[in-house]
Structures are given as structure tokens and as C-alpha cells.
Amino acid sequence: MSLTLEQIAKLAGVSRSTVSRVINDQPNVRQEVRERVWRVIRETGYQPNLAARSLVTRRTGVIGLVIPRAVQSLFADPFFPQLIQGITQACNTHDYMLALFVLHTKEEEQKLYPRVMRARLLDGAIVAASEIGDPLVRHLIENRLPFVLVGRPDDPTGISFVQPDNVIGAYTAVSHLLRLGYRRIGTITGPLNTTVGLDRRQGYLDALRERHGVIDENLIVEGDFTEAGGHAAMLRLLPHRPEAVFAASDIMAFGALRALREAGLSVPDDVAVVGFDDLPAAASCDPPLTTVRQPIRRTGTQAAEVLIDILNNGPTPPRHITLSVELVIRSSCGVERKR
Amino acid sequence: MSLTLEQIAKLAGVSRSTVSRVINDQPNVRQEVRERVWRVIRETGYQPNLAARSLVTRRTGVIGLVIPRAVQSLFADPFFPQLIQGITQACNTHDYMLALFVLHTKEEEQKLYPRVMRARLLDGAIVAASEIGDPLVRHLIENRLPFVLVGRPDDPTGISFVQPDNVIGAYTAVSHLLRLGYRRIGTITGPLNTTVGLDRRQGYLDALRERHGVIDENLIVEGDFTEAGGHAAMLRLLPHRPEAVFAASDIMAFGALRALREAGLSVPDDVAVVGFDDLPAAASCDPPLTTVRQPIRRTGTQAAEVLIDILNNGPTPPRHITLSVELVIRSSCGVERKR
DNA sequence: CCAGTTTTTGGGAGCGCTCTCAAAGTCATT
DNA sequence: AATGACTTTGAGAGCGCTCCCAAAAACTGG
């Protein structure tokens, strides 16, 4: 059915070994022979059998993207698609395949971990959105599977990761609000069992401490990175009369906008809103959302490239990459009015 | 480093063959032996090497999800995440792995096709959102790779696919508008080089012909399933004074809503809007969008299950599955006002 | 033109598994 | 106790590739 090395060898009038050398671009093959072999390969459409190859090389050319269960909701916003785009881009460039593991339940998690890690069919993994204390990272280390995290882990010792600059991003957003004259600034945080949630809250606190000095605990409400969560959080914030709100994600900002609209309040006249992510929808919502742009696709590409580099060139000192972010000023922060 | 069958055999005091039989749940092993072997496997955490296995079985346990390049934009809306969720769910249940192929450029397409199909590392494929005349389907057939399409192909002969009922969905949406008394009903279609785009337009035409009889070509504008495309299409529609608009996707409906808002028109008072998909955001936009709900996750699950069934039980007559859709009435169609 | 050196080539082993087939073991029946 | 039928077990081959090593071929310089 499918061609083998041996058959190509026969067709080209050389040995199996020579064909193998040609395919793997190894030296010590006469130019003329090399060309002849390539011609046969091209004409027959031969592709080496990857199972056979990886049986001997102990490498599969497959990397996994693992998305633990807790983030079902996250998966409903365009963050993951963009991340995946970035990752697949890098995979395509470097001839790796991407396997996707979306874990819906705890049982699946239990079942998948051993299978994936010990069956040796992944060369490495990218882990997105794990929570603090997630045992996944420990398992990966125990099984010696190279991996890169998207998002800072709780304890980064010996671990490579790629993340946006969450602290600075939040700091910039809140500083902007302070500069516009708002004082009672609330925040809808991300889940505080994630480092993203923690870091963006930290940026909020930093800005407030530095430029204003007063923290009102009533103005800090925990959200969950969903639209409904943002909506609920805004409702809890409203009684405390915030002049402005920093939402730790655009999706939550959309929920907040809806809550404000339903309460008959105008944005930014009654309450200013700033988000984080700069999703495509941020530009087209009403009013257009001022937000912190993070390079999601590039995060994915970088994570994949760090991993692939480790796979191709052996272990390196762990790399901690923080990508810079940028405040995109639209109208939801009330920039026109206040200036 | 990693354990092999032979080592497990030695530990359990049996032969390689017996361990293999136990692992693959084959008959003709004494109960007592079977248990002893399982205990050793559990204690050692042994997992069979998949490369070695698939070298002899000619199966990898991997299915691919292929997303051709044209749909970059689509990937920015939650359709694909939901589809992927459905697919991974089925994969997890049936012990298959999912490999993701997102093709960004034509070159990647050229490069990937042979590699993926001939290297035999996919048992089968799910193809999403291919255009009419896409050579991918032809390649799949030529390479005898079992596959299932998400969305009806142009010529369904011999091809299995899963799709929502696009024609009926559009028909229902437009009939609803007609029943509410609107007469000048426009539509923003999907790309007309896709069957989805064609079918939803067909439903629009069917409803109009049946209940109204008059088709105004000026009220039919082609969109591209993006927010910006919906916005642009609405701008082209406005001069022809539609009373209502059926957008072939929610994302385009959002663009249309924005165009109307910017034009100072009220929805639904000046123009009613109906979408298609029922994305999460449809419930929370302003005004909440009346739309056709399609079971995206279930589409993914079904597609994966049809494929896996073919892989596990051999070829079957091609299956054509059309999932029913449901009109979700919110306020953007002006239901309260007209009743 | 030959010994010595370097480049090119081919054959064999083996990666870890499944599968076939024959040998060994078990059981019932005469 | 011996025969036949069936169940259980193990040894061997082979899947298609890479890698090692030895053989062959092609170059050197004297």
C-alpha cells in the first residue's frame, strides 16, 4: 500500500541507508545520487512513516497544548483561538504538529495525564491557564516532559514561561484613570487563584498606592473572566458608587458595560470603564472600550518557539519572557470629556 | 529509561505475548494471570509505546481537525472554540487524540497536505469550513484518509458530513420577521463560496417567496462572517431602507447593530435585526439579539463520533447528519412592539 | 602505480510492539 | 488410562525506520 524506504531505494538503485541519509539531509552522499533519490521521492510522493521513525529516534515531532478543565469559560472568549493561532503558526514553521488536550472534567484529567506523558507521544507541552497549585506542572516535571507555561507560575524556579506584562498593564490602565481625575476607582479582578488575576490586581494596587494612597476594599471585587461574572461584579460594585472601573479582562468589561446600561448609567459620563486584552470586540462595542492590548498571538508563538528550541537544542536555563503591553485609549474611559 | 513490554513480562513472570494480550483485553488468559499482570502494570505505571504499537497496527489513535486558511477571521469568533470543545469531548471519551491543523497560508497548505496524509499519522480527519471546490476534500479521498466534514460539501456523494439545518434556520428567522409584519427585509449573507452562506441565503429566499413573493436584489448583500464585514454590509443596505435585516451570523449582526447605532437608528424601532448562531454574546448585546440557535458543540461531538465509528468499525455508507436549529426570540426583532 | 587516506555506500541490528503458529497444559469423554 | 478437543502460553518474525560499522570506491602524494 504505502511506500517504504526499501522500495524507494530499489527504484533509485541505491540502498536503504543512502535514501535515509538523503531524506535526513546528512552529508556524505554524492550530489548526483542525492538528486536521483530526491527525484524518485518526489515522483512517488513518498513520505517516511513517522511511527517507525519515532520508534528509533525517540521523538515524535508532536507538541501538546494542554488546557486544564477550570477554564471552560475562558474557552468561550477569543483568547484561546488567538493563542492557538500563534502556536500553530510556530508549529507550522518548525515542522511540529500540535495536539490539543482540553480537559473537561477531573476524571479526564486523571485519565489523560499518565497516558499522555508516559506513552511518549509528546515531545513537549505548552500549558495554558493553569491555576496556582495545579498538580499538572508537578507531573510534567516528574515525567521529564519539557514544557513551557503560558502565564507565570506561582513558583517559577526552573520553569520557562511566557506572559504579558500584567502588572504594568494594569498599572498603566489605572494610572490613566487617575490622571483623568477619577478618584473612586474600582476593579473587577480575575480569579485570585491564578497568577494573572493576582498580577492585574497588583498593578491596580500599585497605581492607587503611588498616585492616590487610598485603597477601598469595597471597590475590589473578584470576577471569573466571564461576561456574566463581570456583570455580577459590577452589580456588587455599584452601591459603592465607583467613578471608574478597571476590569481585568475585556469580557468582564463587556459584562460591566451591560450592567451599567441596565442600571441606566452612561459610560463614560457616569462611570468610566477600562478593560484588559484588546479583543477585536473591544473596538466595536458601545462605547468603544479603552483597554490594555496584550499580544496574545505573539505569546503563543513565543511559547511554542521556546519549547521547540528546547526540544531541538537540548535543555537551556529556564526562560522567563514577559511581553510588553500597551494602553489603547478609546472612549469608555472618558478621555474626551475630561481633557 | 521507559519500561517495555518485555520488562513487565519478566516482572510478572510471564511472556511478552501474554502481557500484550492482557493490555489489549484479549481472551484466553487465565484470570489469575490477568490480575497479576495488571497489578504489575499499575505498580510500575507502565504505558505502551504508541509509536511501536502503531508501527504494527497501522493505526495511531490520532484524528486531525483541519481548518483551511480562508477562515482566519472565523477563528476570531467563538464558533471554533465551541466546535473544538465538542470534538475534544468525543475524543476524550473514545480515547482518541486530536491534532490541530490551522493553515495560515497557501504555502502551509501545500506543505502540510502531503506530510499529514501520507505520513500516516492521522487515522482520520475532521474538516471544518472548507470552501466550495476546496481541493482538500479531493486529496483526502485520493489518499484514502477517512474524513468527516463540518458543513455540507458542494457535492455530497460518498461523503459524510454534519451540519446545522441552515436552510430551515434562515427560513424560520425570516418567516418570523414576516409574521411580525415587516416587508422590506434585507439579508447580510455569508460568503457565497461556502455552502453555509448559500444555504442561509436560500432559507431567506424561500421564506420571502412563500410568504411575500417579492425579492429585491438591493436588499441582499454579501458579507464575510466578520464584524467589520457585517458593519460594511449594513452600510450598503441602509440606503435601500430595510425595515428588518437577517444577518447570516451573529458576528455580522453585531457589526450591523454597530452600523445602525452609528447612523443614529434604533433597533428594533427603526430596523429590526435577527442573527444566526446564538453565540454567548447574543444574549448580552444591546438590544439582546433574536437569533437562530445552532448546536455548535454537538456538531463537533457528532462529527467526531461519526469519524471514530468509521475508524473503529470500518467504512459505512456515508452519513449526512443535519442537526435541527431553534429560533431564540429576544428583543432585536421588535417582538414586543409589534404584537 | 601503489600505499595510505578520505569519502561514499550497503548490510545488520534493533527500537517496542502485535500477530501467527506451534507447543504445552487442561479438561471431559470413552 | 488414553484420546481428542479446547484453552492457555511462549517464541519468532516483522512493521519501517535510524544508526553503527565495515566494505567499497574515490582520491591523494610519492
Side-chain angles (χ1 to χ4, degrees):
Chain A
M1 160 91 213
S2 195
L3 286 164
T4 71
L5 257 198
E6 200 84 45
Q7 298 176 52
I8 298 297
K10 193 170 295 172
L11 288 173
V14 294
S15 78
R16 187 165 32 87
S17 309
T18 301
V19 180
S20 174
R21 272 186 279 263
V22 170
I23 286 183
N24 296 298
D25 254 329
Q26 283 167 16
N28 298 333
V29 176
R30 244 168 48 234
Q31 192 53 31
E32 179 229 326
V33 173
R34 198 180 285 277
E35 277 158 18
R36 179 149 41 97
V37 171
W38 270 125
R39 205 173 50 244
V40 174
I41 292 175
R42 238 179 296 110
E43 280 165 5
T44 54
Y46 167 77
Q47 287 289 137
N49 180 315
L50 294 186
R53 172 179 285 175
S54 61
L55 181 56
V56 20
T57 58
R58 269 82 233 294
R59 307 190 50 189
T60 59
V62 178
I63 66 181
L65 171 60
V66 184
I67 301 174
R69 86 204 121 86
V71 290
Q72 288 236 26
S73 47
L74 262 196
F75 213 75
D77 89 26
F79 178 87
F80 277 94
Q82 288 189 50
L83 188 73
I84 289 177
Q85 279 213 340
I87 295 175
T88 52
Q89 179 112 17
C91 285
N92 290 348
T93 315
H94 297 93
D95 284 337
Y96 271 83
M97 245 183 55
L98 182 69
L100 198 56
F101 298 90
V102 181
L103 307 173
H104 301 87
T105 64
K106 207 157 200 157
E107 291 74 50
E108 284 182 4
E109 214 172 280
Q110 298 286 338
K111 191 172 132 196
L112 221 57
Y113 286 177
R115 218 163 70 85
V116 169
M117 298 190 197
R118 320 217 50 168
R120 298 276 125 195
L121 66 62
L122 253 44
D123 286 347
I126 297 173
V127 179
S130 70
E131 296 172 355
I132 290 173
D134 192 329
L136 175 53
V137 169
R138 195 167 39 73
H139 286 146
L140 288 165
I141 294 174
E142 280 169 8
N143 285 285
R144 294 202 176 68
L145 194 69
F147 67 98
V148 172
L149 258 43
V150 171
R152 170 177 82 79
D154 186 33
D155 172 10
T157 319
I159 297 177
S160 288
F161 64 84
V162 181
Q163 64 169 2
D165 200 332
N166 291 311
V167 180
I168 297 289
Y171 174 87
T172 309
V174 176
S175 295
H176 175 71
L177 290 172
L178 285 163
R179 215 174 306 116
L180 291 177
Y182 300 105
R183 282 301 166 263
R184 292 190 57 75
I185 302 177
T187 185
I188 303 173
T189 73
L192 295 178
N193 62 346
T194 65
T195 54
V196 199
L198 250 26
D199 287 354
R200 294 187 187 168
R201 186 185 63 170
Q202 191 57 50
Y204 162 86
L205 294 173
D206 288 354
L208 241 49
R209 289 223 179 85
E210 177 187 313
R211 310 215 173 203
H212 184 47
V214 189
I215 308 286
D216 180 350
E217 284 294 335
N218 290 314
L219 292 178
I220 303 179
V221 176
E222 184 173 351
D224 60 359
F225 284 146
T226 68
E227 204 269 351
H231 183 263
M234 191 67 231
L235 293 182
R236 289 174 54 202
L237 232 32
L238 273 179
H240 300 98
R241 306 255 142 240
E243 301 164 17
V245 172
F246 164 64
S249 82
D250 282 357
I251 289 282
M252 294 198 296
F254 298 151
L257 289 180
R258 180 162 62 92
L260 290 166
R261 194 164 59 228
E262 288 166 4
L265 294 169
S266 149
V267 176
D269 295 331
D270 297 319
V271 180
V273 174
V274 176
F276 200 116
D277 283 346
D278 195 29
L279 300 182
S284 52
C285 68
D286 179 33
L289 190 67
T290 293
T291 186
V292 180
R293 172 178 302 162
Q294 63 157 320
I296 305 180
R297 286 187 54 145
R298 204 146 60 76
T299 304
T301 310
Q302 283 265 3
E305 275 175 350
V306 166
L307 180 61
I308 289 172
D309 181 51
I310 293 173
L311 297 178
N312 288 345
N313 308 318
T316 57
R319 264 165 288 182
H320 299 174
I321 299 180
T322 299
L323 299 172
S324 58
V325 298
E326 170 193 4
L327 185 67
V328 179
I329 298 176
R330 300 203 181 91
S331 48
S332 71
C333 60
V335 64
E336 296 109 356
R337 191 182 55 119
K338 294 268 171 167
R339 272 276 158 85
Chain B
M1 160 91 210
S2 196
L3 287 163
T4 70
L5 255 199
E6 200 85 47
Q7 297 176 53
I8 299 296
K10 192 171 295 173
L11 288 173
V14 294
S15 78
R16 188 164 31 87
S17 310
T18 301
V19 180
S20 174
R21 272 186 278 262
V22 170
I23 285 183
N24 295 297
D25 255 329
Q26 285 169 13
N28 298 334
V29 176
R30 247 170 45 235
Q31 192 54 32
E32 180 228 328
V33 173
R34 198 180 285 277
E35 277 159 18
R36 180 150 38 97
V37 172
W38 269 126
R39 207 174 47 244
V40 174
I41 292 175
R42 237 179 296 110
E43 282 165 5
T44 54
Y46 166 77
Q47 288 288 138
N49 180 315
L50 294 185
R53 172 178 285 174
S54 61
L55 181 56
V56 19
T57 57
R58 273 75 240 291
R59 307 191 47 189
T60 59
V62 178
I63 67 182
L65 172 60
V66 183
I67 301 175
R69 88 205 121 83
V71 290
Q72 287 235 26
S73 47
L74 261 197
F75 213 76
D77 89 26
F79 178 87
F80 277 93
Q82 286 190 52
L83 188 73
I84 289 177
Q85 279 214 339
I87 295 174
T88 53
Q89 179 111 17
C91 284
N92 289 349
T93 314
H94 297 92
D95 284 337
Y96 271 83
M97 245 182 56
L98 181 69
L100 197 57
F101 299 91
V102 181
L103 307 174
H104 301 87
T105 63
K106 208 157 199 156
E107 291 74 50
E108 285 183 4
E109 214 172 279
Q110 299 286 338
K111 190 172 132 192
L112 220 57
Y113 286 177
R115 216 162 72 85
V116 168
M117 299 192 198
R118 321 219 50 167
R120 299 277 125 194
L121 67 61
L122 253 42
D123 286 346
I126 297 173
V127 179
S130 68
E131 296 173 355
I132 291 174
D134 192 329
L136 176 52
V137 169
R138 195 165 39 74
H139 285 148
L140 287 165
I141 294 174
E142 280 170 9
N143 285 285
R144 295 202 174 68
L145 194 69
F147 67 99
V148 172
L149 257 43
V150 170
R152 170 177 82 79
D154 186 33
D155 172 10
T157 320
I159 298 177
S160 290
F161 64 84
V162 181
Q163 65 169 359
D165 201 331
N166 291 312
V167 179
I168 297 290
Y171 174 87
T172 310
V174 176
S175 296
H176 175 70
L177 289 172
L178 286 164
R179 216 175 305 115
L180 290 177
Y182 300 105
R183 284 300 166 261
R184 292 191 56 74
I185 302 178
T187 186
I188 303 173
T189 74
L192 296 177
N193 63 345
T194 66
T195 55
V196 198
L198 250 27
D199 287 355
R200 293 187 187 168
R201 186 185 61 170
Q202 190 57 49
Y204 163 86
L205 294 173
D206 288 353
L208 241 50
R209 289 223 180 84
E210 177 188 314
R211 309 216 174 202
H212 183 44
V214 189
I215 308 283
D216 179 349
E217 284 293 335
N218 290 315
L219 290 178
I220 303 180
V221 176
E222 183 172 353
D224 60 358
F225 284 147
T226 68
E227 205 268 351
H231 183 264
M234 190 68 231
L235 292 182
R236 288 175 51 202
L237 233 32
L238 273 179
H240 301 98
R241 304 255 144 238
E243 300 165 16
V245 172
F246 165 62
S249 83
D250 282 358
I251 290 281
M252 293 198 296
F254 298 151
L257 289 180
R258 179 162 62 93
L260 291 166
R261 194 164 57 227
E262 288 167 4
L265 294 169
S266 150
V267 176
D269 295 331
D270 298 319
V271 181
V273 174
V274 176
F276 201 116
D277 283 345
D278 195 28
L279 300 182
S284 53
C285 67
D286 181 31
L289 190 67
T290 292
T291 185
V292 180
R293 172 177 301 162
Q294 64 157 318
I296 304 179
R297 286 187 54 143
R298 204 146 59 75
T299 305
T301 311
Q302 284 265 4
E305 276 174 348
V306 167
L307 180 61
I308 290 171
D309 181 51
I310 292 173
L311 297 178
N312 288 344
N313 307 320
T316 57
R319 265 165 290 182
H320 298 175
I321 299 180
T322 299
L323 299 172
S324 58
V325 298
E326 172 193 3
L327 185 67
V328 179
I329 299 176
R330 300 205 179 91
S331 48
S332 71
C333 59
V335 64
E336 297 109 356
R337 192 181 56 115
K338 295 267 170 167
R339 272 277 155 86

